[in-house]
Amino acid sequence: MAVNTRFGQGLIVLTGVVILCGFFTAPSGVVAATLPEHIGTMLRVTARLGFALLLVAYVSRPFFQLSGWGRELLLLRRYVGLSAALSLTVHFGYVVTYLRVSGEPLDLLTVSFGGAGFVLAWAMTLTSSRAAQQKLGTYWRRLHLTGMHYLWLIFMQTFVGRVLAGDSAWAEGMAVLGLVALAIRLSAWLNQRFSRTA
Ligand code: HEM
């Protein structure tokens, strides 16, 4: 087995371990009195972890193009994306639990835009193999590019919403990281455009 594959699989396992650590350190999900707190904590843990991993996948290629550093990270990108999808899938599980426990009605906007985020993340997971990449050709690139930008947008919309509500220092940090990642992508894109026209 290639070293990258081993590292990559290790990263997925590590993501699972971090989620489990969150699970066991969160208020108990077994006791009814602390269940809402448990769900809230796990929604935040899985969202923050998922976003951090998504950002690493989001910047790995542009960062390498700009600096020449991070070839190893580029090779691991697929596993970083799969780890982000794992965290987002657990988020989905907690979203379903939250809706059942709170009895809160879901508005059409959240179902459509949030639901599309999960669907895209799973579509990217199912087509993450090299074989799927070769088979789908340009459609693969379109799916993965659209998916990454879309997920970035949904995450940012949620974090910025919390920043504006002024109730989370974490959200501020995550929103700043999201903007830095976007700036790296934009710089690499502009760099490529100008070097083509020069
Ligand atoms: C139907 C879809 C979804 C529902 C109903 C939902 C619901 C929730 C809930 C109830 C919270 C906890 C809010 C709080 O702490 O007060 C949360 C947090 C969050 N969710 Fe989701 N979610 C959905 C989909 C998504 C998707 C697709 C993403 C990202 C692509 C996402 C990203 C986030 C983020 C960034 C947070 C905030 C974490 C923090 O405050 O640190 N959610 N979500």
Side-chain angles (χ1 to χ4, degrees), residues 43-44 47-48 88 91 95 98 106 110 114 117-118 151 154-155 158-159 162:
L43 279 167
R44 289 187 286 279
R48 290 169 194 176
L88 210 51
H91 189 79
V95 165
Y98 170 80
L106 248 190
T110 311
F118 292 123
L151 288 172
I154 299 288
F155 272 118
T158 315
F159 283 126
R162 295 210 62 170

Side-chain angles (χ1 to χ4, degrees), residues 82 85-86 88-93 96 115-128 143 151:
L82 288 174
L86 169 64
L88 210 51
T89 302
V90 180
H91 189 79
F92 173 78
V96 174
F118 292 123
V119 170
L120 275 171
W122 294 327
M124 289 159 82
T125 303
L126 290 175
T127 58
S128 66
L143 168 68
L151 288 172

